[in-house]
Amino acid sequence: MSGTGRARRLRALVRKETYQVLRDPASILIAFVLPVVLLFLFGYAVSLDVRGVPIGVVVERGSAPAVDLAAAFSASRYFEVSRARDRREITPRIIAGELRGMVVIPAQFAERLASGEDAPVQVITDGASPNNASFIALYAAGVLRTWLAGRAASGEGPGAEPPVALEPRVWFNPELESRATITPGSIAIVMTMIGTLLTALVVAREWERGTMEALFSTPASIVEILAGKLVPYLVLALGATFACALIARHVMGVPLRGSWLALLVLSCAFLFPALGQGLVISALTRNQFVASQVALFSGFLPALLLSGFLFEIDSMPTPIQWLTHVVPARYFVTSLTTLFLAGDVWPLFFAQIGPMLAIGAVFFLVAVLTTRKRLD
């Protein structure tokens, strides 16, 4: 009898909890939507394959062998080639981050190849991304070997020991030290999480305690209240960013070739959307625990996977590449890496600041509209 009663109580509890789960959209989202989203992110965005890497191929003289070798690079699936006749056309694009390196086929290439002398082909790579620099050098060597083998098979070149070799050269990070490139990106990822959590948790705590309602009873407008919340945390987050930069420079030995002014401007532009996202989260959730989970999912994970910090954006599927344009960390990672390793490249910085400010403005507008709607 007691066993039957326990079974009946257990069935009643299971039924009650089942109804509770079905009435709770959050449980359905966690059980079905979240795994699918994460699976797509990890399955498509997380890729160690490098394909379609943008590089420049400089043909200093349009001889038949030089043009043929340039065509071999263009035909490779690993490269997306921009051709030029002078390396000065390519250099600014490498500095700006548009290209990851360049292959220089010298003017005397055909003559040296015909005479049997050494005919070096120079490969210049961007050391700000050591993995890509190594991949480019390896893939370039593979293209060159395939091209030489094709010439040998057609009788146009020697069958063994061809006098063509690559001369690799690495810019910005000649030692290919991973710490020099990982640390600036790490600052961007860390500040994404800290910036989002600062406003999400603190403001959500005020919602829980009821102090936000007290603020709304004052003559201040919602825009003024939210801006007042934003500014102190912006200053606090700026202090944390500069502390991270000082540690990177003086403790970790990462060179800081840019100016502190540039770091200040870039950090302000980035923290605007990061803190704004926290305001939106706090307005929507009004609960510290939920706010922390949403901040982790919507802030940290996209910044880690879709910013180009760990995985090359050019190697991601096109829809994922489009998605990365709404991730503020994408622009901050690029800017910080350039600032630390190359210096003040203001044309690149301005190209990154604009999208960050636009995303921040959208977040702030959504926070204002959401807060007003919940107060009505």
Side-chain angles (χ1 to χ4, degrees), residues 212-230:
M212 285 295 289
E213 285 80 355
L215 284 176
F216 293 139
S217 65
T218 66
S221 67
I222 296 207
V223 173
E224 292 169 342
I225 291 173
L226 293 181
K229 292 289 181 185
L230 197 67

Side-chain angles (χ1 to χ4, degrees), residues 113-114 147-160:
L113 190 64
W147 180 76
L148 289 171
R151 283 176 57 85
S154 62
E156 298 179 13

Side-chain angles (χ1 to χ4, degrees), residues 41 43-54 77-80 100 129 131-132 135-136 139 305-306 308 310-321 324 330:
L41 283 177
Y44 287 102
V46 178
S47 174
L48 299 178
D49 298 329
V50 178
R51 296 183 181 180
V53 179
R77 61 175 178 165
Y78 299 110
F79 298 123
E80 184 177 324
R100 300 298 187 182
S129 178
N131 288 337
N132 278 339
F135 285 142
I136 291 171
Y139 293 158
L305 300 177
L306 303 178
L310 292 178
F311 310 105
E312 186 66 25
I313 293 177
D314 293 331
S315 299
M316 299 176 185
T318 302
I320 302 296
Q321 292 186 37
T324 63
R330 167 192 172 133

Side-chain angles (χ1 to χ4, degrees), residues 11-332:
R11 285 196 301 270
L13 289 171
V14 170
R15 189 183 312 110
K16 173 261 179 189
E17 200 62 32
T18 301
Y19 291 148
Q20 182 72 23
V21 168
L22 293 176
R23 286 194 297 264
D24 183 13
S27 301
I28 305 299
L29 289 175
I30 293 174
F32 295 101
V33 178
L34 183 59
V36 172
V37 172
L38 291 177
L39 181 62
F40 272 97
L41 283 177
F42 281 101
Y44 287 102
V46 178
S47 174
L48 299 178
D49 298 329
V50 178
R51 296 183 181 180
V53 179
I55 66 169
V57 174
V58 178
V59 181
E60 294 185 340
R61 184 184 299 171
S63 60
V67 171
D68 190 43
L69 178 56
F73 278 97
S74 298
S76 172
R77 61 175 178 165
Y78 299 110
F79 298 123
E80 184 177 324
V81 172
S82 298
R83 293 202 195 186
R85 297 299 297 270
D86 193 314
R87 67 179 68 196
R88 287 174 294 186
E89 301 175 35
I90 300 296
T91 298
R93 299 182 65 185
I94 296 178
I95 295 175
E98 298 176 12
L99 302 177
R100 300 298 187 182
M102 65 176 163
V103 177
V104 181
I105 305 174
Q108 301 80 21
F109 179 75
E111 291 81 355
R112 289 176 175 269
L113 190 64
S115 64
E117 300 179 26
D118 288 341
V121 175
Q122 190 175 44
V123 178
I124 298 173
T125 55
D126 182 358
S129 178
N131 288 337
N132 278 339
S134 301
F135 285 142
I136 291 171
L138 290 173
Y139 293 158
V143 171
L144 181 59
R145 283 194 300 269
T146 302
W147 180 76
L148 289 171
R151 283 176 57 85
S154 62
E156 298 179 13
E161 300 298 331
V164 180
L166 294 180
E167 290 185 347
R169 181 182 175 187
V170 180
W171 285 359
F172 311 127
N173 184 20
E175 297 83 10
L176 291 178
E177 186 178 359
S178 61
R179 180 184 297 172
T181 58
I182 289 177
T183 303
S186 299
I187 295 175
I189 303 303
V190 169
M191 292 316 302
T192 298
M193 193 63 189
I194 298 302
T196 305
L197 282 175
L198 273 175
T199 47
L201 291 182
V202 175
V203 178
R205 184 173 64 228
E206 294 198 44
W207 281 112
E208 289 181 341
R209 293 177 176 178
T211 54
M212 285 295 289
E213 285 80 355
L215 284 176
F216 293 139
S217 65
T218 66
S221 67
I222 296 207
V223 173
E224 292 169 342
I225 291 173
L226 293 181
K229 292 289 181 185
L230 197 67
V231 172
Y233 295 115
L234 175 63
V235 175
L236 185 62
L238 280 175
T241 304
F242 273 76
C244 291
L246 287 171
I247 292 173
R249 180 182 181 184
H250 296 292
V251 177
M252 299 181 176
V254 179
L256 178 59
R257 299 190 173 103
S259 65
W260 292 101
L261 174 62
L263 178 61
L264 174 63
V265 173
L266 291 169
S267 299
C268 287
F270 168 72
L271 289 171
F272 182 40
L275 296 172
Q277 183 176 356
L279 287 178
V280 173
I281 293 172
S282 66
L284 292 174
T285 61
R286 301 192 182 190
N287 179 278
Q288 290 186 82
F289 175 76
V290 177
S292 65
Q293 302 306 306
V294 174
L296 176 65
F297 179 71
S298 65
F300 178 72
L301 282 179
L304 183 66
L305 300 177
L306 303 178
S307 65
F309 170 60
L310 292 178
F311 310 105
E312 186 66 25
I313 293 177
D314 293 331
S315 299
M316 299 176 185
T318 302
I320 302 296
Q321 292 186 37
W322 294 340
L323 184 60
T324 63
H325 286 92
V326 297
V327 178
R330 167 192 172 133
Y331 308 102
F332 199 41

